[in-house]
Amino acid sequence: MRQAGSRAEDLVQRVLTRVGLSQSESRIAADAQDYWASTGSASWKANSHWRGAHVFDDGDLWHEIGKRHLEMFDRGARGVGFDRPLGRVVEWGCGGGANAVHFAPRAAEFVGVDVVPETLEECARQVTAHCDTPFTPVLAEVTRPERVVEEIGTCDLFLCFYLFELIPTPEYGERLLRIASRVLAPGGLALIQVKYHEGDFWTRPRRRGYRTSVAGMTTYSVPEFWQLVAKCGLRPENVVLVPENELDRRYAYFLASKGE
């Protein structure tokens, strides 16, 4: 019954968007900020990828996620001849640290960016438990992500996993890609995951009702995101498609480089 109700809600919101009643990006961003500030619930912890959240009860999926992403990065880096040491690594939307605990041991410094202080604290705890790499927390705002660019500084690797589907609109994604381009040092790499759509009613961007579809707000076609990456000053190098895994479906991982 819960699934049927969720499907019905999704249908209503998508129909409203289809007839021209989508919400503005600023409205959705404000709703997103409110949602992530409402900490503590089981669904919130699952969406924030905290270790111990119900979505990770079956085996050690929390660790497996970050391990897979590190292996994906290694394959991509070898393919483009990236072999320099990782100085500073930035993860935009670090969540509860599932990726950080695998990437931080390779880095001289790991910078976690998130919109929730408690999540930054949790990520720091996980990193500290796994390695001695310094962890730098950066608190951002959904409504004004550009404000933390100077605080972040430059980096050799920019990571962003399981976040682009949570952002208010596809257009908002351009803002995040421009931030990635600004903070990446020349020759640096970015590994960014999005959800791809298949052009149909159910998988295109929803553009309203954030709280009832947190992980289904924003999608891109694969060519669309490839072109957006290039528009924002990065060079798309390759894309890996994961049609389905234990968490969801239609994942696309884009590796991009910053020119020398």
Side-chain angles (χ1 to χ4, degrees):
M1 290 181 65
R2 185 179 295 112
Q3 290 180 343
S6 177
R7 186 75 165 178
E9 169 68 19
D10 194 29
L11 173 62
V12 169
Q13 298 292 354
R14 291 182 180 278
V15 168
L16 289 173
T17 293
R18 179 64 67 89
V19 300
L21 296 177
S22 60
Q23 294 172 328
S24 68
E25 181 179 293
S26 60
R27 164 66 188 279
I28 301 173
D31 289 346
Q33 187 73 51
D34 289 344
Y35 172 83
W36 294 109
S38 304
T39 62
S41 70
S43 61
W44 181 92
K45 282 195 172 184
N47 288 328
S48 300
H49 285 196
W50 281 42
R51 188 175 186 177
H54 64 82
V55 71
F56 302 117
D57 285 345
D58 184 15
D60 203 6
L61 180 59
W62 187 86
H63 265 291
E64 182 65 22
I65 286 172
K67 179 183 175 184
R68 291 175 191 173
H69 291 158
L70 180 61
E71 291 170 349
M72 186 182 296
F73 165 73
D74 284 340
R75 289 193 299 270
R78 287 194 297 269
V80 299
F82 181 91
D83 57 2
R84 73 192 198 197
L86 291 178
R88 300 181 79 241
V89 174
V90 170
E91 184 179 10
W92 191 283
C94 62
N99 299 296
V101 298
H102 292 275
F103 283 89
R106 300 269 196 95
E109 179 186 0
F110 192 93
V111 180
V113 183
D114 209 280
V115 298
V116 184
E118 292 88 344
T119 295
L120 288 171
E121 293 168 4
E122 172 65 11
C123 189
R125 281 193 292 270
Q126 294 295 340
V127 169
T128 300
H130 284 80
C131 65
D132 296 327
T133 301
F135 178 85
T136 300
V138 174
L139 183 63
E141 297 177 55
V142 178
T143 52
R144 293 180 288 184
E146 295 83 1
R147 294 187 66 181
V148 299
V149 169
E150 297 301 321
E151 187 176 354
I152 291 173
T154 59
C155 64
D156 301 291
L157 175 61
F158 182 95
L159 303 170
C160 190
F161 302 114
Y162 300 127
L163 180 112
F164 267 74
E165 64 255 41
L166 310 176
I167 63 177
T169 65
E171 294 77 17
Y172 185 99
E174 180 174 340
R175 298 168 66 182
L176 297 187
L177 287 173
R178 292 196 181 279
I179 290 172
S181 183
R182 287 175 64 183
V183 302
L184 267 177
L189 292 180
L191 182 56
I192 298 170
Q193 170 267 326
V194 303
K195 269 189 179 178
Y196 62 88
H197 69 67
E198 299 168 330
D200 62 292
F201 175 82
W202 290 106
T203 63
R204 293 186 66 83
R206 205 168 95 160
R207 295 184 179 273
R208 61 173 295 120
Y210 189 88
R211 281 183 171 273
T212 59
S213 184
V214 172
M217 285 302 299
T218 294
T219 56
Y220 300 85
S221 72
V222 172
E224 175 188 14
F225 197 76
W226 183 282
Q227 292 166 357
L228 187 60
V229 169
K231 177 183 177 182
C232 293
L234 298 172
R235 177 182 175 179
E237 298 286 357
N238 63 52
V239 58
V240 175
L241 302 184
V242 179
E244 186 172 3
N245 66 15
E246 297 91 335
L247 294 177
D248 210 335
R249 296 178 295 154
R250 305 189 323 276
Y251 290 134
Y253 295 80
F254 290 81
L255 183 73
S257 61
K258 178 74 177 288
E260 296 284 356

